Amino acid sequence: MIIDVHGHYTTAPPALEAWRTRQIAGAKDPSERPRASELVISDDDIRETIEKNQLKFMKERGTDLTIFSPRASFMAHHIGDFEVSSTWAAIQNELCHRVCQLFPDHFVPAAMLPQSPGVDPKTCIPELVTSVEQYGAVAINLNPDPSGGHWTAPPLTDRHWYPIYETMVEYDIPAMIHVSTSCNPAFHTTGAHYINADTTAFMQLIQGDLFRDFPTLRFVIPHGGGAAPYHWGRYRGLAQALKKPRLAEHLLNNVFFDTCVYHQPGVDLLTEVVPVENVLFASEMIGAVREIDPDTGHHYDDTRRYVEKSRLSEPQKRLVFEGNARRVYPRLDATLKKRGK
Amino acid sequence: MIIDVHGHYTTAPPALEAWRTRQIAGAKDPSERPRASELVISDDDIRETIEKNQLKFMKERGTDLTIFSPRASFMAHHIGDFEVSSTWAAIQNELCHRVCQLFPDHFVPAAMLPQSPGVDPKTCIPELVTSVEQYGAVAINLNPDPSGGHWTAPPLTDRHWYPIYETMVEYDIPAMIHVSTSCNPAFHTTGAHYINADTTAFMQLIQGDLFRDFPTLRFVIPHGGGAAPYHWGRYRGLAQALKKPRLAEHLLNNVFFDTCVYHQPGVDLLTEVVPVENVLFASEMIGAVREIDPDTGHHYDDTRRYVEKSRLSEPQKRLVFEGNARRVYPRLDATLKKRGK
């Protein structure tokens, strides 16, 4: 079985964006905001967007199951206040839930949170609870920078975030650390902000001792861990300079990297440098890079090819494709086992 | 000959930092600021700091010449106003000039600029001119984020920066794109801010068409280009999505990466992915990572070892160690030729 731990509903029906556009227009005046009930998307609308896109590619590429969350760039937590984020998160999580109900063999949900700059993260707990208990979410996406490129939130090791971590531990769900759209012109969203956030989060975790407080807390750092594996020597050395334990002991029981690295040498480096137990297959397909690589004739984001061609042994590939995901996402494993898988 | 294009005076006599501490204390009140003449550092002070540190390592590691600039984290352009930055840059550039005069066979200067957040970059030109004409600087360090982690400056492709580029082109000197200390608690200076800045700069250059306006302008992106080579497929794909030419044509006549990547697999990836003409040897020794790697018994920043062990052929290594630096830094080449080297 091949599990892709990083998929977003990037192909949602246009009605979703149209509703959001109205919500943004009314961000400053609550009376102008559309009601959630004004968004109408039929099951057939959903089926069409999935069958012609994600599911088509999954079949072509031979992947079986995707952990599916709302489009990352659409989260845009920097827009409006908590109420705006809250309504938006509820709509998006419910929509992903519907996708997963319509295609239960292929999609399992992860939730976005109704984060908002400067707002206490504990306000996110009700949506988190709904997502896990009613929608069967097996993970959350946690945005370390709800300001969208101004980085006004405290580091992930700060007690500011602890209410979310406590709930994650209670439900035994991991978080993917994933920012959203950059509203800072210095940072291109998918080319700079996403990758920088991955690197930043990893370094914040090196600096702190978060997993002493939460030994079972688990984070997945997407996009192959940003710059971290490429600069693994730098990070090992910085941990040393900060008098931290070795990375294996300090972070690697709790921190995992996905394989959203869009060329062979990158995946080769990732699988050479990071212990295989810490690498989870993912593609973020139909995401940041949708093009076909003229040098290979394949989509850049067809990451299964790179993992297959890496130096990993077959048992190691089984871990990357399936075993690690079942271990890091126990609710996914339980869901699959219930289905006899 | 082995040329290290990335060295900073990280070991300057303590009097420098003491003076700066007084300057910072007086940042808000000009009458409290120390005069430049109050900083006294003798030639013997300089000799001692260099002979016991940089020069000692250069001899041990077999590198010949370092392009030497003020300590990057000390630039701290976010502190004070233009006058503070201006006095500080003048002091630091003169100090590096003195190092290079005392050890002319081993050090050639690069200048920091008196940047200040929100101040027109053309105010930096007089210091740039002094550094090139009087001190023999062969390059500058350009900070894309003088705010120190708040990223309030326009992207490097904006006309905001053109006065500096025009002067660079006039003198035919490259700029290393190098941020300074982060005052944003989200970003560890050397573990996040430096690497993020490299990645951010590279993506800004992909988004723009800067080298259409300045076909001979040259940038060196340090720390192995941040995350760029590891995510080379992502950047190739994003350039495609943005309808830009291929990276080779769009950027690689003008953008170069150094080898400050502190482990073998990182340098292997860099030299595999990036054309050899675009890779310049550098170590940033006695810099961000001063530790010894317990796995190898060698300093992390002894990057010559990694380049030597890479798959590059001997002629390719000559390019990385010397040829590319002479081409990208023509004033260095001229200086060396004058000396019969």
Side-chain angles (χ1 to χ4, degrees), chain A residues 190-191 234-235 240 293 300, chain B residues 190-191 234-236 240 300:
Chain A
T190 54
R234 171 175 284 254
Y235 292 105
Q240 238 171 287
D293 183 344
Y300 288 102
Chain B
T190 54
R234 172 176 285 254
Y235 292 106
R236 290 176 55 233
Q240 236 171 288
Y300 287 103

Side-chain angles (χ1 to χ4, degrees), chain A residues 83-195:
Chain A
E83 200 277 327
V84 167
S85 274
S86 177
T87 308
W88 181 227
I91 282 177
Q92 293 229 80
N93 287 329
E94 201 222 343
L95 193 61
C96 279
H97 167 57
R98 289 176 62 198
V99 172
C100 298
Q101 282 193 305
L102 290 169
F103 301 94
D105 291 339
H106 299 293
F107 297 94
V108 170
M112 71 171 274
L113 299 178
Q115 296 178 249
S116 194
V119 176
D120 189 331
K122 78 173 167 223
T123 56
C124 296
I125 307 299
E127 181 64 27
L128 200 172
V129 169
T130 302
S131 294
V132 173
E133 300 207 346
Q134 293 181 34
Y135 301 156
V138 299
I140 57 169
N141 292 337
L142 181 64
N143 184 346
D145 172 30
S147 75
H150 295 289
W151 291 91
T152 53
L156 289 171
T157 48
D158 193 278
R159 300 190 71 86
H160 171 80
W161 302 99
Y162 277 25
I164 290 181
Y165 300 158
E166 284 157 7
T167 314
M168 285 169 60
V169 166
E170 195 187 319
Y171 283 125
D172 203 12
I173 55 171
M176 180 171 279
I177 306 300
H178 206 309
V179 288
S180 184
T181 294
S182 160
C183 60
N184 184 330
F187 302 130
H188 183 275
T189 294
T190 54
H193 190 44
Y194 281 19
I195 304 295

Side-chain angles (χ1 to χ4, degrees), chain A residues 261-268 300 306, chain B residues 229-233 269 273:
Chain A
V261 178
Y262 296 151
H263 64 150
Q264 189 67 49
V267 171
D268 287 346
Y300 288 102
Y306 313 134
Chain B
Y230 175 48
H231 287 283
W232 205 241
L269 177 131
V273 164

Side-chain angles (χ1 to χ4, degrees), chain A residues 149-155 184-188 190-192 194-197 199-200 203-204 207 223-238 240-242 246 258 260-263 265-270 272-273 284 288-289 291-295 300, chain B residues 149-155 184-188 190-192 194-197 199-200 203-204 207 223-238 240-242 246 258 260-263 265-270 272-273 284 288-289 291-295 300:
Chain A
H150 295 289
W151 291 91
T152 53
N184 184 330
F187 302 130
H188 183 275
T190 54
Y194 281 19
I195 304 295
N196 291 349
T199 309
T200 300
M203 189 63 214
Q204 290 178 353
Q207 288 177 268
H223 322 110
Y230 176 48
H231 287 283
W232 205 242
R234 171 175 284 254
Y235 292 105
R236 289 177 55 234
L238 286 170
Q240 238 171 287
L242 293 167
R246 283 192 166 223
D258 80 11
C260 293
V261 178
Y262 296 151
H263 64 150
V267 171
D268 287 346
L269 178 130
L270 172 67
E272 178 182 354
V273 164
E284 202 175 2
V289 181
E291 280 60 36
I292 290 173
D293 183 344
D295 291 350
Y300 288 102
Chain B
H150 295 290
W151 291 92
T152 53
N184 184 331
F187 301 130
H188 183 276
T190 54
Y194 280 20
I195 304 296
N196 291 350
T199 309
T200 300
M203 189 62 215
Q204 289 178 354
Q207 287 177 269
H223 322 109
Y230 175 48
H231 287 283
W232 205 241
R234 172 176 285 254
Y235 292 106
R236 290 176 55 233
L238 286 170
Q240 236 171 288
L242 293 166
R246 284 193 166 222
D258 80 11
C260 293
V261 178
Y262 296 152
H263 64 150
V267 171
D268 287 345
L269 177 131
L270 172 66
E272 178 182 353
V273 164
E284 201 175 4
V289 181
E291 280 60 37
I292 290 173
D293 183 344
D295 292 348
Y300 287 103

Side-chain angles (χ1 to χ4, degrees), chain B residues 1 5 22 57 62 66 92 116 164 171 196 199 204 217 231 263 265 274 302 310:
Chain B
M1 184 173 203
V5 302
R22 288 179 58 206
F57 280 132
T66 299
Q92 293 230 81
S116 195
I164 291 182
Y171 283 126
N196 291 350
T199 309
Q204 289 178 354
L217 187 67
H231 287 283
H263 64 150
V274 174
D302 185 358
S310 73

Side-chain angles (χ1 to χ4, degrees), chain A residues 48-119:
Chain A
E48 191 180 334
T49 62
I50 294 290
E51 282 169 356
K52 289 188 175 163
N53 293 296
Q54 282 84 358
L55 198 57
K56 173 172 154 271
F57 281 131
M58 286 167 70
K59 287 180 176 166
E60 281 175 19
R61 299 179 188 180
T63 63
D64 301 296
L65 186 89
T66 298
I67 298 181
F68 206 57
S69 60
R71 186 172 186 172
S73 64
F74 265 28
M75 298 191 298
H77 295 116
H78 62 279
I79 295 174
D81 55 13
F82 172 74
E83 200 277 327
V84 167
S85 274
S86 177
T87 308
W88 181 227
I91 282 177
Q92 293 229 80
N93 287 329
E94 201 222 343
L95 193 61
C96 279
H97 167 57
R98 289 176 62 198
V99 172
C100 298
Q101 282 193 305
L102 290 169
F103 301 94
D105 291 339
H106 299 293
F107 297 94
V108 170
M112 71 171 274
L113 299 178
Q115 296 178 249
S116 194
V119 176

Side-chain angles (χ1 to χ4, degrees), chain A residues 244-267:
Chain A
K244 300 296 181 185
R246 283 192 166 223
L247 293 184
E249 188 190 328
H250 187 43
L251 299 185
L252 296 187
N253 293 315
N254 308 83
V255 176
F256 304 86
F257 302 107
D258 80 11
T259 63
C260 293
V261 178
Y262 296 151
H263 64 150
Q264 189 67 49
V267 171

